[in-house]
Amino acid sequence: MIRLEGIYKRFGSLEVLKGINLSVEKGEVVCIIGPSGSGKSTLLRSLNHLEKITGGRIFINNELICDRKDDKSIFKPSQYRISKACPKIGMVFQRFNLFPHMTVLENIMLAPKVVKKTPQNSAREYAIHLLDKVGLNDKWDVYPPKLSGGQQQRVAIARALAMRPEIMLFDEPTSALDPELVAEVLEVMSSLALEGMTMLVVTHEMGFAKEVADRVVFMDNGEVIEENTPESLFANPVKVRTKAFLSKII
């Protein structure tokens, strides 16, 4: 479903991604772990076109949608081809980024109404369904500042799901939460995985990666150092750098 080939990203003279190769199959859950500053979040943002890559190729459903070299486009697909090739991608960030002046329900309904021109009644019905899905069906008329951090992040997940994505990207979705609120967000993410959602997750939650991921990718210094099943990577890492990292956090 996703294929990244030789992805490079520079910010001025700082090279953040150094030739990343990675693929994600339909229905697969891939967790990316590694120290802060290793390029994990930049990789996710590059996939979602929030950052423009310096070099490399991005394929979605085997369709080439980005090909750059030395910060210049080699291939420029038409907007029609991009919209046809790209499945809908939802993204959940570290910060919730909810509109504080809108109710929970209004936050979830906004994108389908504005972007997809979904009728009011249909958008509302699906938003209520999603609130039930994330365990917040009694909070539809509440404003985000009145919610806990865990509740706000669950609303953010519902908001991303409102666009009916085929892929969900999670960028350290629990890092801004108090420890006691982490479990409620991870429970929602686990349920999505069980439903077959394709997920690429940047996380520091090793327990989640062990239990839910089909594959774990360890990144450091802008490179993929090692990737394997959770069982193999956590129990028997091959690379010295992976062993050193895991020895400090497990």
Side-chain angles (χ1 to χ4, degrees):
M1 200 164 218
I2 300 171
R3 189 165 84 249
L4 308 176
E5 295 183 353
I7 302 299
Y8 287 84
K9 176 61 182 178
R10 288 193 306 270
F11 293 99
S13 61
L14 178 63
E15 196 165 53
V16 179
L17 299 177
K18 305 174 182 178
I20 299 291
N21 296 302
L22 182 66
S23 63
V24 181
E25 300 297 329
K26 183 176 177 61
E28 190 177 24
V29 178
V30 176
C31 284
I32 304 177
I33 65 172
S36 298
S38 58
K40 308 183 301 294
S41 294
T42 300
L43 182 64
L44 237 60
R45 291 174 63 85
S46 297
L47 175 60
N48 206 26
H49 302 289
L50 296 175
E51 299 286 354
K52 185 179 291 186
I53 61 174
T54 304
R57 303 200 296 174
I58 298 175
F59 294 83
I60 302 293
N61 282 342
N62 291 319
E63 290 280 356
L64 179 63
I65 63 164
C66 182
D67 189 354
R68 291 176 64 82
K69 184 176 181 181
D70 298 327
D71 217 14
K72 296 180 180 179
S73 292
I74 297 173
F75 170 72
K76 294 183 178 180
S78 67
Q79 191 61 43
Y80 171 77
R81 180 171 181 176
I82 291 176
S83 62
K84 181 180 179 182
C86 290
K88 304 175 187 71
I89 300 177
M91 187 163 183
V92 177
F93 301 87
Q94 297 177 33
R95 296 292 175 178
F96 325 121
N97 299 324
L98 300 174
F99 292 109
H101 63 289
M102 293 183 174
T103 65
V104 163
L105 195 66
E106 289 169 339
N107 266 276
I108 297 172
M109 291 171 59
L110 182 62
K113 288 172 57 181
V114 173
V115 178
K116 299 179 70 174
K117 309 303 180 186
T118 304
Q120 172 85 7
N121 289 342
S122 297
R124 179 185 175 86
E125 182 179 350
Y126 193 55
I128 291 173
H129 163 74
L130 291 173
L131 281 173
D132 185 58
K133 188 183 187 73
V134 300
L136 292 172
N137 56 355
D138 59 339
K139 302 293 186 182
W140 63 271
D141 59 345
V142 175
Y143 289 88
K146 298 293 185 180
L147 300 175
S148 70
Q151 289 172 331
Q152 289 188 60
Q153 192 62 296
R154 283 188 279 158
V155 173
I157 293 173
R159 180 182 58 185
L161 292 173
M163 292 295 286
R164 303 178 188 266
E166 297 176 27
I167 298 170
M168 284 288 286
L169 308 178
F170 292 89
D171 185 11
E172 299 186 23
T174 60
S175 64
L177 301 179
D178 292 333
E180 63 267 25
L181 302 177
V182 169
E184 63 189 65
V185 174
L186 295 181
E187 183 178 352
V188 173
M189 294 170 62
S190 297
S191 69
L192 289 176
L194 288 173
E195 292 170 7
M197 175 66 74
T198 304
M199 296 166 58
L200 188 56
V201 184
V202 170
T203 185
H204 291 296
E205 300 293 336
M206 298 301 127
F208 175 84
K210 285 180 180 179
E211 295 176 13
V212 179
D214 297 298
R215 193 156 36 98
V216 178
V217 175
F218 172 63
M219 283 184 64
D220 186 37
N221 196 30
E223 299 179 297
V224 171
I225 305 300
E226 186 170 353
E227 61 177 292
N228 212 326
T229 63
E231 296 80 7
S232 296
L233 189 134
F234 286 111
N236 297 295
V238 174
K239 302 295 184 179
V240 173
R241 181 66 187 95
T242 313
K243 291 179 182 178
F245 175 77
L246 292 177
S247 69
K248 296 177 181 178
I249 62 172
I250 297 180

